[in-house]
Amino acid sequence: MARQRLLFLTGHLARPRLERVLSGLGETEFDWAIADIGVKVAALATGDIIERRLERPVEADGVVLPGRCRADLDRLSEVFGVPFTRGPDELADLPAFLGRKGAPPDLSRHDMRIFAEIVDASALSVEAILARARPMQAAGADVIDLGCLPDTPFPHLEETIQALKAEGFGVSVDSAVPEELRRATRAGADFLLSLTEERMDVAEAGAAVPILIPKTPQDTASLDRAIERAREMEIDFIADSILDPIHFGFSASLVRYHQLRERHPAVEILMGTGNLTELTDADTSGITATLLGICSELAIRNLLVVHVSPHTRATIAEHDAARRMLFAARADGALPRGYSKALLQVHDVKPYAVTPDELAEQAAGIKDRNYRIETAEDGVHLYNRDVHAIETDAFEFFPHIDVGGDVGHAFYLGAELQKAEIAWRLGKRFAQDAPLDFGVGAPRREEDRTRLEAAGHTLKARKTPS
């Protein structure tokens, strides 16, 4: 069978680096060639430029464009008669893009259900509850959990459940008052949180699935008795052995989950992660990944998620990203690495696309006065034909910048340099004119990669009426 032939399009500046990256792949399963399409930066090439400058016929089985090139792939594929593919944004990521693993990982699947709790539901109106529930669902929640407050009546409980169900939400109700739970199941709630062995009669009031808990977190025997009672009643149920916060039984509670799975291999289990995410002053993405890794190993498929503290603002999206990444890794029998960057909010695995030596070589070839900004291990690099400055503090670049009286350009450079400094200090990947990627912690705006970016405020400010 003939070897696949790939043609990589590039511009003048990136061609030497592209050649080094491709040569560094060693023995490959494909043959490759490079086409310089006559622009400095291939990412700025339009589909029209490519159509005019790329020689025909294309002697390849496929063409790979730089990731930031906004050309229309379908149009180019039709014009040249070969498939066009958009590669990664950075050359440093090209080897992974061309790796032997095939298509990108499938993150559409998961096997964990997220219960997202509205902790003060009984104090809110129906409209306020719906307003909170909608973004929770958009972030990944499967069930909206209505938290009932002690000594706070919930007269509109039935109305709330019916309103949520009318909009397609799954609903659970969390209350320490048995009568509230009975009202909830009669009104059509899907789940009840939480029943001890003494309150199992509540489950007979309707069809809602109860979440069973021990009398106290340490009383595993009482949880086993509740499980046995549910089996005698021939009802579906979910068991929760309770996750305790750090220094108040955390490690022992992990052991209890492990033992619960050993004693009941087929039982559905729930873990409430809020006692760790809410009660630990640490970024929640890593905590969530670790807890859901435990859940993945123990086949715990139900997660109760709480957002009260401001630092847990992205907790639902983090749980959703973690369950998808872990499902894919488990299906592959692999470590959860290389599947998703959604939880890499503070640091990146590969923060620098180029080395200082490569930047020095690239800067030496610049013939114009346009400023380029990049980061490497030694700091932030600002360069054009006249200067190549390396600093770790954005303010230190001030003596190196000459934009005359162009206030807009000065503002732009200041903003980009500050962004580059933040990226360098955190160990994040930086790309000029692109937002920093903080994963699900700060979702990036959607980009249309078939179109060039519209002029920004600073460029518009430089234009004068004709």
Side-chain angles (χ1 to χ4, degrees):
M1 190 170 90
R3 287 164 58 87
Q4 185 184 28
R5 300 167 300 166
L6 294 180
L7 178 66
F8 294 82
L9 299 194
T10 189
H12 301 331
L13 295 179
R15 177 165 189 153
R17 286 164 57 192
L18 176 60
E19 288 178 341
R20 283 196 297 271
V21 168
L22 291 172
S23 298
L25 294 175
E27 185 69 25
T28 62
E29 299 168 356
F30 56 86
D31 295 324
W32 56 268
I34 296 173
D36 185 335
I37 52 174
V39 296
K40 289 182 179 179
V41 180
L44 300 180
T46 64
D48 289 341
I49 290 175
I50 294 172
E51 287 187 37
R52 289 198 308 269
R53 299 186 181 180
L54 182 58
E55 293 184 5
R56 295 178 175 81
V58 172
E59 300 293 341
D61 302 305
V63 180
V64 181
L65 297 178
R68 293 193 177 89
C69 180
R70 261 67 175 181
D72 186 327
L73 299 182
D74 292 336
R75 164 71 181 176
L76 292 174
S77 299
E78 180 181 354
V79 168
F80 289 95
V82 296
F84 277 65
T85 304
R86 187 170 284 109
D89 286 354
E90 306 292 350
L91 280 176
D93 298 324
L94 188 59
F97 175 81
L98 298 172
R100 311 309 193 262
K101 290 186 177 181
D106 179 8
L107 298 176
S108 66
R109 301 178 298 162
H110 65 80
D111 61 353
M112 297 180 187
R113 180 191 291 127
I114 293 176
F115 293 70
E117 183 176 3
I118 299 176
V119 296
D120 53 352
S122 55
L124 301 174
S125 68
V126 175
E127 292 73 19
I129 290 171
L130 289 170
R132 287 198 191 181
R134 293 175 188 124
M136 286 177 164
Q137 185 182 59
D142 303 294
V143 178
I144 302 302
D145 181 56
L146 300 175
C148 300
L149 296 170
D151 303 319
T152 302
F154 202 159
H156 53 300
L157 174 61
E158 290 84 356
E159 182 186 358
T160 300
I161 292 171
Q162 291 159 9
L164 287 168
K165 299 287 287 184
E167 291 200 15
F169 294 100
V171 181
S172 63
V173 175
D174 189 349
S175 176
V177 180
E179 185 53 35
E180 279 186 327
L181 293 176
R182 291 190 182 92
R183 289 170 55 203
T185 188
R186 292 176 188 138
D190 301 290
F191 303 92
L192 302 178
L193 282 75
S194 303
L195 301 186
T196 60
E197 61 176 328
E198 290 93 351
R199 297 163 62 185
M200 291 299 296
D201 61 300
V202 171
E204 297 176 332
V209 174
I211 282 73
L212 309 181
I213 60 172
K215 287 183 183 178
T216 64
Q218 296 78 22
D219 190 357
T220 57
S222 69
L223 178 57
D224 286 342
R225 289 193 294 270
I227 290 172
E228 186 57 35
R229 174 64 179 137
R231 286 171 171 160
E232 291 172 357
M233 296 169 67
E234 297 184 343
I235 60 173
D236 292 331
F237 64 91
I238 300 171
D240 178 8
S241 58
I242 309 298
L243 185 73
D244 286 324
I246 293 172
H247 296 151
F248 292 87
F250 168 59
S251 58
S253 67
L254 291 179
V255 172
R256 289 197 299 271
Y257 277 104
H258 196 280
Q259 292 172 341
L260 177 61
R261 175 53 72 212
E262 287 184 327
R263 295 195 309 274
H264 303 283
V267 159
E268 286 293 322
I269 300 177
L270 176 142
M271 177 185 285
T273 59
N275 274 349
L276 227 63
T277 56
E278 289 285 329
L279 304 180
T280 307
D281 281 349
D283 289 333
T284 53
S285 58
I287 293 174
T288 298
T290 301
L291 288 179
L292 266 64
I294 294 168
C295 291
S296 182
E297 288 192 352
L298 297 180
I300 296 173
R301 290 189 283 265
N302 300 275
L303 311 166
L304 177 61
V305 180
V306 182
H307 161 43
V308 177
S309 173
H311 85 286
T312 66
R313 58 197 284 267
T315 187
I316 297 173
E318 289 167 358
H319 280 72
D320 181 51
R323 65 178 173 175
R324 295 172 188 278
M325 175 182 70
L326 291 163
F327 183 95
R330 190 179 70 237
D332 289 343
L335 296 170
R337 297 202 65 194
Y339 286 89
S340 170
K341 296 192 291 184
L343 299 180
L344 290 169
Q345 296 175 13
V346 182
H347 314 295
D348 281 335
V349 174
K350 296 179 180 179
Y352 307 116
V354 291
T355 67
D357 289 343
E358 288 173 331
L359 278 176
E361 180 183 345
Q362 183 164 307
I366 298 298
K367 305 300 182 185
D368 59 64
R369 298 191 63 209
N370 295 323
Y371 286 104
R372 282 85 169 171
I373 303 170
E374 298 194 54
T375 59
E377 290 183 4
D378 57 346
V380 179
H381 292 239
L382 175 73
Y383 60 95
N384 63 10
R385 73 180 186 191
D386 301 319
V387 65
H388 181 186
I390 307 168
E391 303 288 355
T392 58
D393 182 339
F395 286 96
E396 297 301 320
F397 285 105
F398 183 78
H400 304 295
I401 296 174
D402 179 12
V403 292
D406 192 338
V407 176
H409 195 191
F411 179 88
Y412 161 79
L413 289 173
E416 286 296 307
L417 287 167
Q418 186 64 72
K419 186 177 72 180
E421 180 191 335
I422 292 170
W424 181 80
R425 291 189 180 279
L426 290 178
K428 299 293 294 179
R429 179 67 68 84
F430 169 82
Q432 192 171 347
D433 297 326
L436 298 182
D437 186 353
F438 293 103
V440 296
R444 298 171 66 172
R445 60 184 175 85
E446 292 294 323
E447 295 181 87
D448 182 353
R449 293 255 166 146
T450 68
R451 298 177 183 273
L452 292 170
E453 291 285 356
H457 296 294
T458 58
L459 183 58
K460 289 176 182 176
R462 295 168 66 187
K463 293 182 177 180
T464 56
S466 55

